[in-house]
C-alpha cells in the first residue's frame, strides 16, 4: 500500500491510501471474472442492518455513487470475505472505505485481505468526504479510469 497525502487540497489532514491487489489468475471456467469470495455467517444480515444505519458521511458519498453516476454500479455495505466493505464496484474490483472509529482498528489487515481477494482499496478519512467531496469523487473517477485502462 502506498499512503498519499495532499491529494485533497481542500482538506490537508485528508488521507488517501491506494492499495493494489495481488494479481490473481482467473478461476477455470470464469473467463477472467473472479467469483465473489464466500461470506461469513450472518454477514448479509449485518450488512442489511448497516445499510439502514449509514453515517451522515456515508450518506453524502452514497448520494454521489448510487445509480451509476460515475459510470459503474456501486453497492453499499457489501459483505466481502469476513468484512463488510463500505462501498464496492465489483465490475472494477474497487472498494471505497471511509475511515471512522471502526475501521481504524483493523485497517491494514483488512486491506491486505481485500487486496488478496483481488480488490483495490481506496480509503478516505471521514473529514475528507465532508470537507472536499469533489476531490474525493475525482480520486474515485481516476481509480475507475485506471481499471478501464487495463489496471486490473
Amino acid at each position: 500500500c502506498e499512503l498519499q497525502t495532499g491529494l485533497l487540497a481542500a482538506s490537508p489532514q485528508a488521507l488517501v491510501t491506494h492499495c493494489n491487489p495481488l494479481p490473481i489468475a482467473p478461476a477455470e471456467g470464469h473467463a477472467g471474472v473472479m467469483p465473489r469470495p464466500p461470506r461469513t455467517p450472518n454477514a448479509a444480515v449485518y450488512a442489511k442492518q448497516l445499510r439502514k444505519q449509514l453515517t451522515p458521511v456515508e450518506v453524502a458519498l452514497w448520494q454521489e455513487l448510487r445509480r451509476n453516476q460515475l459510470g459503474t454500479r456501486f453497492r453499499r455495505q457489501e459483505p466481502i470475505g469476513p468484512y463488510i466493505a463500505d462501498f464496492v464496484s465489483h465490475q472494477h474490483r474497487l472498494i471505497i472505505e471511509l475511515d471512522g472509529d471502526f475501521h481504524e482498528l483493523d485497517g491494514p489487515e483488512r486491506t491486505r485481505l481485500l487486496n488478496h481477494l483481488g480488490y483495490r482499496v481506496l480509503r478516505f478519512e471521514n473529514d475528507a468526504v465532508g470537507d472536499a467531496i469533489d476531490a474525493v469523487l475525482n480520486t474515485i473517477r481516476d481509480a475507475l479510469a485506471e481499471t478501464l485502462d487495463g489496471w486490473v
Side-chain angles (χ1 to χ4, degrees), residues 24-35:
I24 298 176
E28 187 175 324
H30 286 282
V33 176
M34 286 186 52

Side-chain angles (χ1 to χ4, degrees), residues 74-143:
F74 277 93
R75 293 176 171 265
R76 61 190 165 131
Q77 304 301 333
E78 177 79 359
I80 299 177
Y83 299 110
I84 297 177
D86 290 336
F87 304 98
V88 62
S89 166
H90 290 291
Q91 176 186 0
H92 291 269
R93 310 292 292 173
L94 179 66
I95 292 175
I96 300 167
E97 292 283 306
L98 301 180
D99 286 339
D101 296 335
F102 182 74
H103 291 307
E104 290 176 5
L105 299 174
D106 64 354
E109 179 183 328
R110 176 186 186 100
T111 299
R112 275 192 295 278
L113 177 69
L114 295 171
N115 287 163
H116 181 72
L117 293 173
Y119 289 89
R120 181 177 184 189
V121 178
L122 292 181
R123 291 186 175 280
F124 299 96
E125 288 188 3
N126 287 340
D127 291 342
V129 176
D131 297 340
I133 195 163
D134 290 334
V136 168
L137 292 171
N138 286 335
T139 301
I140 295 168
R141 282 187 194 96
D142 290 345

